[in-house]
Amino acid sequence: MTATLTPPVTAPQAHRDPNVLRWLAAYTSSMLGDSVYYLALSWAAVQAGTPAQAGLVMSASALPRAVLMLGGGVIADRFGPRRVVIGSDAVRCAAVLAVAALLFLTRPGLWPLALLALVFGTVDAVFMPAVGALPARLTEKGQLARVQGMRGLAIRFAGVAGAPLGGLGVAVGGAPAAFALAGLLIAVSVPLLVSVRVRDLPKDDTPEVAGTAWSDLRAGLHYIRRHRVLAPLMLAIALGDLGFVGPLNVGLTLLADRRGWGASGMGWVLAGFGVGAGASALLLTVRGRLPRAGLVTGSACAAGAVAIGALAFVPTLGAAVGVALLVGLLAGLSGALCGALLQTRSDPAYLGRVTAVASLISLGLTPLSMPLAAAAIGAWGLGPVYVVSAGVCGLGGVVALAVPALRRAELPGG
C-alpha cells in the first residue's frame, strides 16, 4: 500500500514541500546517474571496438525505447507511477553495477555493453512515462507548473555536473569505476522514492478498468485525440521538436566546423543554449505559473523559430552564443510550458499514457530528423536547411496560436 496524503486547506508551495523536495532529490540523483552512465558507456564502447561498433552500442537503446514507450505509459497508469519509477531505478541500478563488476573482473568485449544499452532502453520506455505522471500525485495542480520548472533545473544541473563526474570516474578507475559511480547515483534515488508519499486518485478521475493493456492504450489515445487542448498541443510539440532537433544537433556541429570555431566554439554555443534554457526553468520555478500560458507557449515557439533560423547567418562566435542563449530561453520556455500544460490539463489517471505519447514524439520520432538534416545540409548548405527547419518549428507556434482552446489555455493558480 502506498501512503496517502490528505491535502490541507492550503497546500504548501512545491519548493517548500519536503515531500516534493525528496522526489526532486531522487530525480536529480537518477538523472546524474544517467549522465555518468552515458559517458561511461561511450568510453567503454570506444575502448572495446571500432568507432562504428561504438556508435551501434550507443544507439542500441533507441529502438526498444521507441517501440515500447506507449506500453510503458499503460504500465505507469495501471500500477501507479511511484511503484514503476522505484522498480525502474532498481533495475537500472542493478544492470549498471553488474556491468561494472564484469568489466572490473574481465574484458568481455562489446556484448555486455550492447546488452546494457538494450536493458536501459527497455526500462526507459517504462520509466519516462512514470516520471511524467508522478508529480501529479505529489502536489496540487496549482503547483505543477512550479514542479515542472524544478524538474527542468534538475535536468540542467545533471547535464552540467554529470560529464565532469563521469570523467572523474574514468580518470580514477576507467570504465568500471564510472559505471559503478553511475549505479551508486541511481541507487541513491531508490530509498528517497520509497519515502515519497503519493495521493490516491479521486474516484471521479479513475477510469474504468479495461480488460487488456491494449484496451487501456486505445482508451488513452482516444482520450488525447478528443481533448481540446492536448490534441493540438501534441501536434505543436511534434512540429516544434522536428524543426529544433536537426539544427541544434547535427547542424550545430557542421556550423562550428565550417565557421572555424572548432569543438570549443561549439561548446560555447551549447553553453549559451543551456544558460537560456536554465533561465526559463528558473523563471517557472520562481513564479510558479505564467498568465496566458497557451499564448506565451505559441509566441515563444514562433519567436524561437526565428532565432533558430538566424543562427546559421551569424558571422561571429560571440553572436552565435548570444543567439543560442535566446534560442535556449525561448525554446526552454515553450517546452516547460508545454510540459506544465500536459501535467495540468490531463486527468492524473491518463497522465502516464499522455506522457508516453509526448515522449515518443520527442525521443522516438524527432531524432529521425537528424540524418535528414545532415543529408540536406550536404546537398543545399546550412542556410536553406536552417530556414526550413525554423519554418517547421514555427508551425508549432502557429498551431498553438491558431487553436482557440490551446491559445486560451491557462495554468491553475497555486
Side-chain angles (χ1 to χ4, degrees), residues 147-248:
V147 170
Q148 190 69 18
M150 296 163 66
R151 181 182 174 189
L153 288 175
I155 292 171
R156 294 299 161 193
F157 172 77
V160 171
L165 279 176
L168 179 63
V170 170
V172 170
F179 276 122
L181 177 59
L184 291 175
L185 286 168
I186 297 173
V188 169
S189 70
V190 175
L192 287 170
L193 287 168
V194 170
S195 71
V196 167
R197 296 170 293 168
V198 296
R199 302 165 184 259
D200 287 333
L201 288 177
K203 290 183 179 180
D204 292 342
D205 285 339
T206 306
E208 296 181 5
V209 178
T212 64
W214 178 247
S215 299
D216 280 1
L217 177 58
R218 286 191 300 172
L221 296 176
H222 181 71
Y223 170 76
I224 295 170
R225 188 171 62 250
R226 291 178 59 88
H227 201 287
R228 295 172 63 244
V229 173
L230 295 181
L233 184 59
M234 291 294 183
L235 178 59
I237 291 172
L239 291 169
D241 283 352
L242 277 171
F244 175 82
V245 169
L248 265 294

Side-chain angles (χ1 to χ4, degrees), residues 69-85 125-126 128-134 136-137 201 205-210 213 216-217 219-221 223-224 346-357:
M69 184 74 74
L70 295 180
V74 172
I75 292 172
D77 285 336
R78 276 202 163 199
F79 296 100
R82 174 179 176 272
R83 185 182 302 173
V84 173
V85 171
V126 180
M128 295 174 68
V131 164
L134 187 54
R137 307 287 187 94
L201 288 177
D205 285 339
T206 306
E208 296 181 5
V209 178
D216 280 1
L217 177 58
L221 296 176
Y223 170 76
I224 295 170
S346 302
D347 288 337
Y350 289 97
L351 196 46
R353 282 162 284 182
V354 171
T355 305
V357 173

Side-chain angles (χ1 to χ4, degrees), residues 208-303:
E208 296 181 5
V209 178
T212 64
W214 178 247
S215 299
D216 280 1
L217 177 58
R218 286 191 300 172
L221 296 176
H222 181 71
Y223 170 76
I224 295 170
R225 188 171 62 250
R226 291 178 59 88
H227 201 287
R228 295 172 63 244
V229 173
L230 295 181
L233 184 59
M234 291 294 183
L235 178 59
I237 291 172
L239 291 169
D241 283 352
L242 277 171
F244 175 82
V245 169
L248 265 294
N249 287 276
V250 177
L252 184 57
T253 303
L254 296 174
L255 180 65
D257 179 65
R258 295 188 182 183
R259 291 285 194 276
W261 299 337
S264 63
M266 185 178 71
W268 279 107
V269 176
L270 288 173
F273 171 80
V275 169
S280 65
L282 181 61
L283 174 65
L284 202 55
T285 300
V286 173
R287 290 290 302 272
R289 69 182 292 272
L290 294 177
R292 300 182 178 181
L295 179 63
V296 174
T297 298
S299 301
C301 185

